């Protein structure tokens, strides 16, 4: 690398290559990028959901839970 030159970021490299592609292929790249964004969003939502559940249940493992038997089952008729 020459003095004063800086390394290109990944985004800049993608942009440079993208400009060389025909519009139809650029459209395919756009579709793929949108797919990756949607996939990342689903992962993020799931991570938040898993974290929320873990936080909500934190400490419950130490709580005493009742022990039920079949004698506790009662049939209810409408």
């Amino acid at each position: 690398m020459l003095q004063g030159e800086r390394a290109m970021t990944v985004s800049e490299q993608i942009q440079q290559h993208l400009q060389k592609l025909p519009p139809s292929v650029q459209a395919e790249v756009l579709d793929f990028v949108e797919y990756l964004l949607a996939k990342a969003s689903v992962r993020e939502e799931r991570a938040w959901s898993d974290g929320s559940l873990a936080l909500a249940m934190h400490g419950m493992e130490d709580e005493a839970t009742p022990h039920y038997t079949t004698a506790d089952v009662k049939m209810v008729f409408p």
Side-chain angles (χ1 to χ4, degrees), residues 8-71:
M8 290 177 54
T9 66
V10 172
S11 180
E12 290 169 333
Q13 291 176 43
I14 291 169
Q15 182 63 30
Q16 189 177 52
H17 290 296
L18 187 62
Q19 291 174 353
K20 296 176 186 176
L21 295 172
S24 62
V25 178
Q26 288 180 11
E28 287 183 53
V29 172
L30 177 60
D31 286 343
F32 184 64
V33 169
E34 289 173 342
Y35 161 76
L36 292 175
L37 286 169
K39 186 176 165 183
S41 177
V42 168
R43 283 184 182 161
E44 185 176 313
E45 288 174 17
R46 182 168 182 156
W48 274 102
S49 176
D50 291 349
S52 295
L53 182 58
L55 184 59
M57 297 185 70
H58 179 71
M60 291 182 71
E61 61 276 0
D62 299 329
E63 293 181 11
T65 56
H67 180 70
Y68 295 108
T69 66
T70 54

